[in-house]
Amino acid sequence: MGENSESVSGQLEAYCRVRRQSEMLCKPLTVEDYVVQTMPDVSPPKWHLAHASWFFETFILVPYVSGYRPFDVRFHPLFNSYYQGVGTPFPRDRRGLLSRPSVVDIYRYRRHVDEAMTELMERLDDRAENRDIHLLIELGLHHEQQHQELLLTDIKHILGNNPLVPVYAEDRFAEEEEVPVPLRWIKVQGGETAVGHDGNGFCFDNELPRHRMRMNEFLLANRLVTNVEYLEFIDDGGYANPLLWLADGWASVQREGWQAPLYWRKMDGAWRYFTLAGEEPLTAEEPVCHVSYFEADAFATWAGKRLPSEEEWEHAAGTAGLWPGNYLESGRFRPQAALTGEGVLQLGGDVWEWTQSAYRPYPGFRPWANAVGEYNGKFMCSQMVLRGGSCATPESHIRKSYRNFFYPHNRWQFMGIRLAQDT
Amino acid sequence: MGENSESVSGQLEAYCRVRRQSEMLCKPLTVEDYVVQTMPDVSPPKWHLAHASWFFETFILVPYVSGYRPFDVRFHPLFNSYYQGVGTPFPRDRRGLLSRPSVVDIYRYRRHVDEAMTELMERLDDRAENRDIHLLIELGLHHEQQHQELLLTDIKHILGNNPLVPVYAEDRFAEEEEVPVPLRWIKVQGGETAVGHDGNGFCFDNELPRHRMRMNEFLLANRLVTNVEYLEFIDDGGYANPLLWLADGWASVQREGWQAPLYWRKMDGAWRYFTLAGEEPLTAEEPVCHVSYFEADAFATWAGKRLPSEEEWEHAAGTAGLWPGNYLESGRFRPQAALTGEGVLQLGGDVWEWTQSAYRPYPGFRPWANAVGEYNGKFMCSQMVLRGGSCATPESHIRKSYRNFFYPHNRWQFMGIRLAQDT
Amino acid sequence: MGENSESVSGQLEAYCRVRRQSEMLCKPLTVEDYVVQTMPDVSPPKWHLAHASWFFETFILVPYVSGYRPFDVRFHPLFNSYYQGVGTPFPRDRRGLLSRPSVVDIYRYRRHVDEAMTELMERLDDRAENRDIHLLIELGLHHEQQHQELLLTDIKHILGNNPLVPVYAEDRFAEEEEVPVPLRWIKVQGGETAVGHDGNGFCFDNELPRHRMRMNEFLLANRLVTNVEYLEFIDDGGYANPLLWLADGWASVQREGWQAPLYWRKMDGAWRYFTLAGEEPLTAEEPVCHVSYFEADAFATWAGKRLPSEEEWEHAAGTAGLWPGNYLESGRFRPQAALTGEGVLQLGGDVWEWTQSAYRPYPGFRPWANAVGEYNGKFMCSQMVLRGGSCATPESHIRKSYRNFFYPHNRWQFMGIRLAQDT
Amino acid sequence: MGENSESVSGQLEAYCRVRRQSEMLCKPLTVEDYVVQTMPDVSPPKWHLAHASWFFETFILVPYVSGYRPFDVRFHPLFNSYYQGVGTPFPRDRRGLLSRPSVVDIYRYRRHVDEAMTELMERLDDRAENRDIHLLIELGLHHEQQHQELLLTDIKHILGNNPLVPVYAEDRFAEEEEVPVPLRWIKVQGGETAVGHDGNGFCFDNELPRHRMRMNEFLLANRLVTNVEYLEFIDDGGYANPLLWLADGWASVQREGWQAPLYWRKMDGAWRYFTLAGEEPLTAEEPVCHVSYFEADAFATWAGKRLPSEEEWEHAAGTAGLWPGNYLESGRFRPQAALTGEGVLQLGGDVWEWTQSAYRPYPGFRPWANAVGEYNGKFMCSQMVLRGGSCATPESHIRKSYRNFFYPHNRWQFMGIRLAQDT
């Protein structure tokens, strides 16, 4: 973790804001929606709410607050995600089999943790000996923000797989088709550059150390690939041509029967898709979303282009204006077309952008030394890096150096495509 | 279906009583408990509540009530269990992925159906042309009673697999160990006998036709096998000796790692088990419950005995007093020791008794001719017959000729063992 | 086992004949054909050759011949099929992973056993104390004959799943289409009858005890169902109509994608099938073969008929001339149309006939008391009885009371359909 | 492909030598050994022999030799490994179900291809228009050499999983324990360096383009990790401590029940392992072999070190003497201890060395343009790079820039560990 960037009182405020945000996201849910798990990757919403509290309890309250009484010690394995260092977690793929603890009890659990955390923060001052706690609180808040994104993506999966296709939140924005800026190729200078977090403010351990590297000049698309562009790939037989695909990708296409991005459905000859506002006709000019790395790579191959590396992406982001963008706070919960602007657009928000980089440690990487050392490092294998945040990412959570990562077959996050090419 | 045994007004009363009973059984549940499916065999409680209503709607209201408006046509595939003749059912093993319709909506669905059914029954009279409807109503009520038993067994599975082992209903009965009657062997005369329903009152199609058969004299145990007797089998290495088991049974033991009946757990050297009143120390003299056919058969082999055939069982029941017994209405939801009495005890209630009979059609069997013809016949393969009802069976639902059936590896019903032997 | 029906010297002759027969059946094989296992149900031919020898070694030579030295003790688990009483068998589904012992070594193993068996038989006389050995030899020969049928069916599966569709043995018989006798319904008297082996000559334990039972009068088809009759079922959408199928059968149809019997393949609009003489156009009037119980039952349902029970079959066979028939010795290895004759034809040979009877113990059944007690009894669950032998059954092996059994989804044996109906 | 490094006549000689080598490696096999497939990753030896011929036939003889008649067109899908561009390959995991074509036929196939290839090469001259053919021949030979290594590793798996643990080739070398050089850390200078093939002689497309990159100074172990060093990890509970493992690695440990490298077996308290010379006691000082990336990484974590990146490895190899080493030609087929020498030892041969690099395209990578474009590029996902060749790699096949790649859970290749650390 870097330096804590907020004052002591600011941290309590941030705590309250973040915690409230998680609960706001669950407002539209029925009690039943909190419980189910539609695939092993998905966690029930109530699990997310409990797990984020478990994180504060386990890594801050229990070790640092003498006399703290856990809400219910039986919750500890249940809401441990993957921290083998603090006990054996309950099996991930069975989270949806747990009707208890009830949603009410989980909100009680949150209140219990909130009270203890508030009490702790109210008496914490800036003395150096409290630095670790401040850093852990900051980590806990970023952790909860990560789960806010997962809450939304998991809710989308739960509702989107329901034959009644329920609406999570009406889309209050204009429905009329909007014309995005034309695709342009922005030349990005090569040479030696630095990659990784620069040390100002919070970052995860996986963004460090900042290191120098050589890079060739390259061209980056000024905007994301749109649905209508992706449809050309589909209509050109993209899902039927093995020569466009990575070998593992083609195996996924065949095993899963993929014919289109997740949530797309052809009905009477026309494509429709499920959004958090319900099922609706495909919006042609919206950025394509819910594609796997395999699909992103096959699309790029079909287009005669490639995906950028994560270092290229970060290098380009450094010279383009990154933030603001279409984040969680917009409340729209779907990517939007880039309508105007120069340079590289849509880098922040809308959809996570698959890079061609495997998720590996930076040279000289060291995981955090303490109990949270399992946070990132142990996943540095067989996954691919995504950059830039999405329409489900809290704005205060994202950074240019932020490295998200998923398996190349995953599609349920808000994931999309930006193309690159060599000069 | 046999003759309708109730008067017209009696049928409405029965309808109300049965429908209320289902909802009473769900009283102790949280909303979350209604939703989950802990294994493919289990259905979420809310699914049972909806399915029983779907049955009345599909087989009575839609075909016989002109102008009837279904509550929501999208429910039809969702709550169709296995009736291919009325559409493709939603996949059984995905029932637990459905957060919607909500529990509230399902109770609304029940009210909608209840109102239409009540209206229908209020204007139905005894005229011959209404006979089919009366029979279908009677069938619908027996169908719902079957699901009452399933509700209880599925709730037990949902709670019993939860690490918090929640209590469904406190056991209000004496806890003190009670001494069952000693095991005695009752000689049952052989010769020619008749098997199958005798035509008085309702029965399922699978209980017909009544037919004559030859039977040898045999001995039947006067009571069920108890936990302490089953423990001897365990302690004698029963689960480690392949020579005691059917080949498929031994494969199940190894694949599933069975060491004891379902819900048993060894803790600090002592056996405990989960009951609907929570987890507690094993009651030695209670009938053993939650054993598969494979276990029942292996136990009988170990004991040098055998299980009775279903015809032997029915023949014996014909001469012993069958009813009353420890049924659903007792509210205890667990089998009880037989404390006193002569002759063959515990034939009705307590636990379903595995017989050595494969579930096959009786000679001359004809499935019901109409849409409910899928009710029983298509399951007459690879399953075994159980007799006598259990502590989860409604008393008015059971008969001496009643044939229940499950796969030989199933254990989650209230299933137990009665021994027999040749003379 | 019943009484040994052969003289002492006759038994040695029978031994030599049976052992030679197994090896003759393997004559057309390449070394490679001996090795592979195309599905878990199939065993490599070399395994069958070794296992039949292991049976003699394990149950006769080791216990009864002092000083006998096993060929290689490491073979014991490898060629133990399922006798848990004599050690843990090598996993069945991994038999095809064993390149060693080589085919040559397995023939050496056979010679080793043959020499020891010959020596034993030459000095065995008729004294009562040798009775057990005589019976075990007789059992061993019947056991090897069973594996001769399995050899053929497994060879058919190995060759029939090879894209080069190799020929096992040219069909030296006329190719011209022949017209079978018309379908007629033979009335079989009901009343009390006896079922089970009558005690003359050898039988398996599962054919005993002979017992009396009541039976209704019924009609039995005079011949087997033919390919062209089965095609009508296919062309009428039989494989697409769930209402014709048992529930487990419909699940199999969907999971396996069944569209026709095993080995059938549609090419340019015409059905072809694989026979041991290679792939060829479907012979319309040949008895349909390689259908599961599920398919046999669905066909019968579609035809408005049913399958006979095993007792009905045996009862009918008792009054019809059973033997001779088209058995293994014909060397044609495929069923043949019934061209002439009165009464119930084709009862022996051609195809095993699915009955509607679950494979269960006869009343009073006792497995053999000694080490071979695992032979039959432990399979008496979830399987269905077939009667009458097939074109792959040695003629001297079959009896009217013979009970074969397979799971209802099995298709790779020579299995077919004879219809019955109530009067 | 780079420039063809051999003269025209040299290429024919190389062809004969390589083709003969493949067949020499199969000399110790029985016919049965050629057939089986002990896991999906393994191919039957006869398949390798046929596939290498199919490669020449498909990519050279069919397109470039007018009038060439394929040996058997039915072989084309059977022996197509993964080239979707030339037809749909037969499913990989079913290769072991094919008894035909026989081994004899496959040798005939080889002769057929050899004759046509010889004829072609005899009339090919150095004219520029033949350049493509020369390059494809060179590729075909390298391809066959790759399969020589796979032949050996697959034969080892086939024999090593056989309960009779057959010997492939006696080890004719001294058995006495030898003392390896002590572990020393060699400092490797950082700065800017070039990675990738330098253009002299043949290379695969994945070794290009050569590109410059920055690298930090680091320390590299002078030799491979030995069995005795790996045993310390085991004895320290390495396989029981999740904190040492990547998350996917820990899942593999638990799912597969790993307790030691592949082919290790504890017997009476002592470790033994299977080598191509049979099963024997573990040689303490031999380099550890048959470990997955997950194990290599966990070992490095336990040791407080890390694995080198592939670029570090190549950079270090450039300054150390790489070849000669213990390759296939030694005929020992097992890694050997490094007994003397300065600098970085064992870089070539012995075992492939896991690097911490994901297998990804080099910047500017272009797959070969023609039909062999599927050779490498489509596997650039989810696999890790290994460097340096092994005791099963032909010496003339390996290069400093050679990139081998396997999934992180694979263990059946000759794979081992060299440690690195930051300065």
Side-chain angles (χ1 to χ4, degrees), chain C residues 97-120:
Chain C
L97 308 187
L98 297 177
S99 62
R100 315 286 181 96
S102 66
V103 173
V104 164
D105 281 342
I106 282 168
Y107 277 104
R108 280 201 197 104
Y109 180 34
R110 288 181 69 87
R111 291 296 81 78
H112 179 89
V113 166
D114 284 348
E115 280 161 27
M117 284 297 298
T118 303
E119 199 182 325
L120 168 66

mmCIF file of all heavy atoms in Angstrom, chain C residues 97-120:
data_model
loop_
_atom_site.group_PDB
_atom_site.id
_atom_site.type_symbol
_atom_site.label_atom_id
_atom_site.label_comp_id
_atom_site.label_asym_id
_atom_site.label_seq_id
_atom_site.Cartn_x
_atom_site.Cartn_y
_atom_site.Cartn_z
ATOM 1 N N LEU C 97 -5.597 -48.990 -20.610
ATOM 2 C CA LEU C 97 -4.345 -48.235 -20.486
ATOM 3 C C LEU C 97 -3.147 -49.151 -20.309
ATOM 4 O O LEU C 97 -2.016 -48.692 -20.201
ATOM 5 C CB LEU C 97 -4.428 -47.268 -19.301
ATOM 6 C CG LEU C 97 -5.642 -46.344 -19.267
ATOM 7 C CD1 LEU C 97 -5.507 -45.334 -18.151
ATOM 8 C CD2 LEU C 97 -5.819 -45.635 -20.607
ATOM 9 N N LEU C 98 -3.398 -50.451 -20.290
ATOM 10 C CA LEU C 98 -2.336 -51.413 -19.983
ATOM 11 C C LEU C 98 -1.778 -52.019 -21.271
ATOM 12 O O LEU C 98 -2.392 -52.893 -21.870
ATOM 13 C CB LEU C 98 -2.904 -52.520 -19.096
ATOM 14 C CG LEU C 98 -3.423 -52.090 -17.727
ATOM 15 C CD1 LEU C 98 -4.032 -53.290 -17.005
ATOM 16 C CD2 LEU C 98 -2.316 -51.471 -16.893
ATOM 17 N N SER C 99 -0.609 -51.581 -21.666
ATOM 18 C CA SER C 99 0.012 -52.236 -22.831
ATOM 19 C C SER C 99 0.626 -53.568 -22.410
ATOM 20 O O SER C 99 0.690 -54.500 -23.203
ATOM 21 C CB SER C 99 1.067 -51.329 -23.449
ATOM 22 O OG SER C 99 2.109 -51.060 -22.540
ATOM 23 N N ARG C 100 1.068 -53.662 -21.189
ATOM 24 C CA ARG C 100 1.603 -54.919 -20.670
ATOM 25 C C ARG C 100 0.654 -55.502 -19.639
ATOM 26 O O ARG C 100 0.020 -54.729 -18.937
ATOM 27 C CB ARG C 100 2.972 -54.687 -19.997
ATOM 28 C CG ARG C 100 3.915 -53.822 -20.776
ATOM 29 C CD ARG C 100 4.490 -54.517 -21.961
ATOM 30 N NE ARG C 100 5.422 -53.628 -22.666
ATOM 31 C CZ ARG C 100 6.748 -53.624 -22.489
ATOM 32 N NH1 ARG C 100 7.304 -54.468 -21.666
ATOM 33 N NH2 ARG C 100 7.514 -52.769 -23.155
ATOM 34 N N PRO C 101 0.603 -56.796 -19.423
ATOM 35 C CA PRO C 101 1.352 -57.826 -20.144
ATOM 36 C C PRO C 101 0.961 -57.865 -21.622
ATOM 37 O O PRO C 101 -0.178 -57.554 -21.985
ATOM 38 C CB PRO C 101 0.965 -59.125 -19.439
ATOM 39 C CG PRO C 101 -0.286 -58.833 -18.711
ATOM 40 C CD PRO C 101 -0.230 -57.383 -18.358
ATOM 41 N N SER C 102 1.900 -58.283 -22.429
ATOM 42 C CA SER C 102 1.693 -58.323 -23.871
ATOM 43 C C SER C 102 0.741 -59.457 -24.235
ATOM 44 O O SER C 102 0.452 -60.352 -23.431
ATOM 45 C CB SER C 102 3.026 -58.534 -24.568
ATOM 46 O OG SER C 102 3.508 -59.827 -24.242
ATOM 47 N N VAL C 103 0.277 -59.434 -25.448
ATOM 48 C CA VAL C 103 -0.598 -60.501 -25.936
ATOM 49 C C VAL C 103 0.135 -61.841 -25.871
ATOM 50 O O VAL C 103 -0.429 -62.861 -25.442
ATOM 51 C CB VAL C 103 -1.073 -60.178 -27.372
ATOM 52 C CG1 VAL C 103 -1.847 -61.351 -27.956
ATOM 53 C CG2 VAL C 103 -1.931 -58.914 -27.365
ATOM 54 N N VAL C 104 1.378 -61.827 -26.253
ATOM 55 C CA VAL C 104 2.159 -63.057 -26.189
ATOM 56 C C VAL C 104 2.213 -63.591 -24.754
ATOM 57 O O VAL C 104 2.025 -64.788 -24.506
ATOM 58 C CB VAL C 104 3.588 -62.801 -26.740
ATOM 59 C CG1 VAL C 104 4.537 -63.920 -26.327
ATOM 60 C CG2 VAL C 104 3.539 -62.657 -28.259
ATOM 61 N N ASP C 105 2.437 -62.707 -23.818
ATOM 62 C CA ASP C 105 2.501 -63.147 -22.422
ATOM 63 C C ASP C 105 1.153 -63.686 -21.950
ATOM 64 O O ASP C 105 1.088 -64.574 -21.100
ATOM 65 C CB ASP C 105 2.952 -61.991 -21.517
ATOM 66 C CG ASP C 105 4.458 -61.796 -21.586
ATOM 67 O OD1 ASP C 105 5.159 -62.724 -22.043
ATOM 68 O OD2 ASP C 105 4.925 -60.711 -21.203
ATOM 69 N N ILE C 106 0.101 -63.134 -22.474
ATOM 70 C CA ILE C 106 -1.219 -63.614 -22.055
ATOM 71 C C ILE C 106 -1.490 -64.990 -22.650
ATOM 72 O O ILE C 106 -2.065 -65.854 -21.973
ATOM 73 C CB ILE C 106 -2.300 -62.576 -22.403
ATOM 74 C CG1 ILE C 106 -2.222 -61.475 -21.344
ATOM 75 C CG2 ILE C 106 -3.686 -63.202 -22.432
ATOM 76 C CD1 ILE C 106 -3.010 -60.242 -21.664
ATOM 77 N N TYR C 107 -1.044 -65.230 -23.854
ATOM 78 C CA TYR C 107 -1.168 -66.590 -24.382
ATOM 79 C C TYR C 107 -0.278 -67.559 -23.584
ATOM 80 O O TYR C 107 -0.669 -68.695 -23.319
ATOM 81 C CB TYR C 107 -0.854 -66.634 -25.885
ATOM 82 C CG TYR C 107 -2.058 -66.252 -26.733
ATOM 83 C CD1 TYR C 107 -2.152 -65.007 -27.342
ATOM 84 C CD2 TYR C 107 -3.122 -67.141 -26.899
ATOM 85 C CE1 TYR C 107 -3.269 -64.651 -28.105
ATOM 86 C CE2 TYR C 107 -4.235 -66.804 -27.659
ATOM 87 C CZ TYR C 107 -4.311 -65.562 -28.260
ATOM 88 O OH TYR C 107 -5.420 -65.223 -29.000
ATOM 89 N N ARG C 108 0.875 -67.084 -23.166
ATOM 90 C CA ARG C 108 1.713 -67.931 -22.296
ATOM 91 C C ARG C 108 0.973 -68.247 -20.991
ATOM 92 O O ARG C 108 1.056 -69.358 -20.473
ATOM 93 C CB ARG C 108 3.024 -67.191 -21.972
ATOM 94 C CG ARG C 108 4.049 -67.258 -23.068
ATOM 95 C CD ARG C 108 5.479 -66.994 -22.530
ATOM 96 N NE ARG C 108 6.335 -66.666 -23.653
ATOM 97 C CZ ARG C 108 6.756 -65.426 -23.954
ATOM 98 N NH1 ARG C 108 6.457 -64.418 -23.148
ATOM 99 N NH2 ARG C 108 7.497 -65.216 -25.024
ATOM 100 N N TYR C 109 0.328 -67.232 -20.481
ATOM 101 C CA TYR C 109 -0.447 -67.409 -19.254
ATOM 102 C C TYR C 109 -1.522 -68.475 -19.468
ATOM 103 O O TYR C 109 -1.719 -69.373 -18.632
ATOM 104 C CB TYR C 109 -1.055 -66.056 -18.872
ATOM 105 C CG TYR C 109 -1.900 -66.011 -17.620
ATOM 106 C CD1 TYR C 109 -1.621 -66.800 -16.497
ATOM 107 C CD2 TYR C 109 -2.978 -65.119 -17.540
ATOM 108 C CE1 TYR C 109 -2.403 -66.709 -15.349
ATOM 109 C CE2 TYR C 109 -3.750 -65.026 -16.402
ATOM 110 C CZ TYR C 109 -3.471 -65.823 -15.310
ATOM 111 O OH TYR C 109 -4.248 -65.721 -14.173
ATOM 112 N N ARG C 110 -2.193 -68.390 -20.584
ATOM 113 C CA ARG C 110 -3.219 -69.397 -20.879
ATOM 114 C C ARG C 110 -2.598 -70.795 -20.941
ATOM 115 O O ARG C 110 -3.158 -71.750 -20.391
ATOM 116 C CB ARG C 110 -3.936 -69.071 -22.203
ATOM 117 C CG ARG C 110 -4.858 -67.853 -22.078
ATOM 118 C CD ARG C 110 -5.593 -67.559 -23.386
ATOM 119 N NE ARG C 110 -6.584 -68.579 -23.709
ATOM 120 C CZ ARG C 110 -7.860 -68.567 -23.277
ATOM 121 N NH1 ARG C 110 -8.286 -67.605 -22.479
ATOM 122 N NH2 ARG C 110 -8.697 -69.526 -23.634
ATOM 123 N N ARG C 111 -1.458 -70.918 -21.607
ATOM 124 C CA ARG C 111 -0.807 -72.242 -21.687
ATOM 125 C C ARG C 111 -0.457 -72.760 -20.299
ATOM 126 O O ARG C 111 -0.648 -73.943 -19.994
ATOM 127 C CB ARG C 111 0.469 -72.149 -22.529
ATOM 128 C CG ARG C 111 0.291 -71.896 -24.032
ATOM 129 C CD ARG C 111 -0.426 -73.006 -24.772
ATOM 130 N NE ARG C 111 -1.881 -72.930 -24.615
ATOM 131 C CZ ARG C 111 -2.682 -72.079 -25.273
ATOM 132 N NH1 ARG C 111 -2.191 -71.227 -26.156
ATOM 133 N NH2 ARG C 111 -3.994 -72.104 -25.040
ATOM 134 N N HIS C 112 0.060 -71.862 -19.476
ATOM 135 C CA HIS C 112 0.437 -72.234 -18.116
ATOM 136 C C HIS C 112 -0.770 -72.779 -17.342
ATOM 137 O O HIS C 112 -0.696 -73.822 -16.693
ATOM 138 C CB HIS C 112 1.021 -71.010 -17.412
ATOM 139 C CG HIS C 112 1.439 -71.235 -15.995
ATOM 140 N ND1 HIS C 112 2.706 -71.673 -15.652
ATOM 141 C CD2 HIS C 112 0.774 -71.083 -14.822
ATOM 142 C CE1 HIS C 112 2.790 -71.782 -14.327
ATOM 143 N NE2 HIS C 112 1.630 -71.426 -13.810
ATOM 144 N N VAL C 113 -1.868 -72.088 -17.455
ATOM 145 C CA VAL C 113 -3.083 -72.522 -16.762
ATOM 146 C C VAL C 113 -3.619 -73.805 -17.399
ATOM 147 O O VAL C 113 -4.038 -74.737 -16.696
ATOM 148 C CB VAL C 113 -4.136 -71.391 -16.777
ATOM 149 C CG1 VAL C 113 -5.508 -71.911 -16.370
ATOM 150 C CG2 VAL C 113 -3.698 -70.253 -15.860
ATOM 151 N N ASP C 114 -3.598 -73.857 -18.706
ATOM 152 C CA ASP C 114 -4.098 -75.053 -19.392
ATOM 153 C C ASP C 114 -3.334 -76.296 -18.960
ATOM 154 O O ASP C 114 -3.924 -77.361 -18.742
ATOM 155 C CB ASP C 114 -3.978 -74.879 -20.913
ATOM 156 C CG ASP C 114 -5.045 -73.952 -21.473
ATOM 157 O OD1 ASP C 114 -6.004 -73.633 -20.728
ATOM 158 O OD2 ASP C 114 -4.923 -73.536 -22.637
ATOM 159 N N GLU C 115 -2.019 -76.173 -18.856
ATOM 160 C CA GLU C 115 -1.230 -77.336 -18.453
ATOM 161 C C GLU C 115 -1.596 -77.788 -17.041
ATOM 162 O O GLU C 115 -1.784 -78.980 -16.786
ATOM 163 C CB GLU C 115 0.264 -77.011 -18.544
ATOM 164 C CG GLU C 115 0.770 -77.119 -19.984
ATOM 165 C CD GLU C 115 2.081 -76.374 -20.197
ATOM 166 O OE1 GLU C 115 2.835 -76.220 -19.210
ATOM 167 O OE2 GLU C 115 2.323 -75.938 -21.346
ATOM 168 N N ALA C 116 -1.696 -76.842 -16.164
ATOM 169 C CA ALA C 116 -2.030 -77.203 -14.786
ATOM 170 C C ALA C 116 -3.447 -77.758 -14.694
ATOM 171 O O ALA C 116 -3.717 -78.719 -13.951
ATOM 172 C CB ALA C 116 -1.860 -75.989 -13.869
ATOM 173 N N MET C 117 -4.360 -77.198 -15.463
ATOM 174 C CA MET C 117 -5.740 -77.687 -15.436
ATOM 175 C C MET C 117 -5.819 -79.084 -16.035
ATOM 176 O O MET C 117 -6.530 -79.965 -15.517
ATOM 177 C CB MET C 117 -6.661 -76.720 -16.202
ATOM 178 C CG MET C 117 -6.998 -75.437 -15.467
ATOM 179 S SD MET C 117 -7.928 -75.684 -13.929
ATOM 180 C CE MET C 117 -9.432 -76.451 -14.534
ATOM 181 N N THR C 118 -5.117 -79.297 -17.129
ATOM 182 C CA THR C 118 -5.129 -80.612 -17.769
ATOM 183 C C THR C 118 -4.580 -81.668 -16.806
ATOM 184 O O THR C 118 -5.180 -82.745 -16.614
ATOM 185 C CB THR C 118 -4.275 -80.571 -19.046
ATOM 186 O OG1 THR C 118 -4.789 -79.544 -19.897
ATOM 187 C CG2 THR C 118 -4.323 -81.906 -19.768
ATOM 188 N N GLU C 119 -3.471 -81.333 -16.206
ATOM 189 C CA GLU C 119 -2.868 -82.261 -15.243
ATOM 190 C C GLU C 119 -3.855 -82.574 -14.112
ATOM 191 O O GLU C 119 -4.034 -83.720 -13.721
ATOM 192 C CB GLU C 119 -1.599 -81.611 -14.678
ATOM 193 C CG GLU C 119 -0.640 -82.576 -14.032
ATOM 194 C CD GLU C 119 0.563 -81.829 -13.454
ATOM 195 O OE1 GLU C 119 0.967 -80.824 -14.092
ATOM 196 O OE2 GLU C 119 1.063 -82.210 -12.382
ATOM 197 N N LEU C 120 -4.508 -81.525 -13.632
ATOM 198 C CA LEU C 120 -5.490 -81.718 -12.569
ATOM 199 C C LEU C 120 -6.630 -82.610 -13.038
ATOM 200 O O LEU C 120 -6.999 -83.588 -12.371
ATOM 201 C CB LEU C 120 -6.030 -80.360 -12.116
ATOM 202 C CG LEU C 120 -7.271 -80.386 -11.208
ATOM 203 C CD1 LEU C 120 -6.941 -81.029 -9.854
ATOM 204 C CD2 LEU C 120 -7.819 -78.988 -10.993
#
